[in-house]
Amino acid sequence: MKELKISAAELVAAARARIEELETRDAITMVGKEDTVFVDLRDVRERTRSGFIPGSFHCPRGMAEFWVDPKSPYFKEIFGQDKKFVFHCASGWRSALTVATLNDMGFAAAHLKEGFSTWEEAGGPIERTDPK
């Protein structure tokens, strides 16, 4: 097996060192606030299986850079709003990498440090949809 120059864990650690990380309990207090948008990067199957933060916007991780860029043909208007954007995934790894990249682009965002994995046990509200 070929050795990598940098591991995924090292990429995540480097991203976390330079982005805004929110603790789960602090983020829970932001749910429902008009000036905050939670952005869920998880796969749609993860959202169906585990539920999601009420009012969160689903953005597949592979589209984040394109959806936030006003010059992209894929731009989504939600990202043009003057709000606080809090990205999350399941454990905080994907969201850390995504937010670091978005910050590099000039898009201000934070991420949920521990991801959705600690949300329910910390008392965070969860919305669920019936699997089809």
Side-chain angles (χ1 to χ4, degrees):
M1 180 185 307
K2 183 178 177 180
E3 178 122 359
L4 298 173
K5 289 192 271 184
I6 186 169
S7 70
E10 290 170 319
L11 280 175
V12 170
R16 285 184 156 173
R18 62 187 184 90
I19 63 173
E20 180 183 358
E21 297 192 295
L22 297 174
E23 297 291 340
T24 302
R25 292 198 184 279
D26 296 329
I28 288 170
T29 68
M30 301 166 75
V31 173
K33 291 193 173 179
E34 287 293 320
D35 64 344
T36 304
V37 176
F38 284 90
V39 182
D40 191 340
L41 296 169
R42 296 174 303 152
D43 181 271
V44 73
R45 291 167 294 219
E46 291 175 278
R47 285 173 55 92
T48 299
R49 183 175 54 249
S50 305
F52 50 91
I53 297 170
S56 63
F57 179 75
H58 181 236
C59 173
R61 182 174 181 250
M63 294 305 295
E65 295 85 353
F66 303 101
W67 285 11
V68 304
D69 182 354
K71 294 181 181 177
S72 165
Y74 303 105
F75 176 67
K76 298 288 183 189
E77 289 292 330
I78 192 166
F79 293 113
Q81 299 177 25
D82 185 21
K83 296 189 177 196
K84 175 146 186 113
F85 291 90
V86 179
F87 286 73
H88 79 86
C89 60
S91 65
W93 283 42
R94 290 172 284 179
S95 58
L97 293 175
T98 301
V99 167
T101 300
L102 297 180
N103 286 180
D104 288 347
M105 293 172 68
F107 184 86
H111 93 118
L112 187 56
K113 183 178 180 180
E114 300 299 325
F116 195 71
S117 63
T118 61
W119 189 262
E120 190 167 23
E121 84 179 35
I126 294 179
E127 190 171 326
R128 298 187 191 282
T129 57
D130 292 325
K132 304 219 184 286

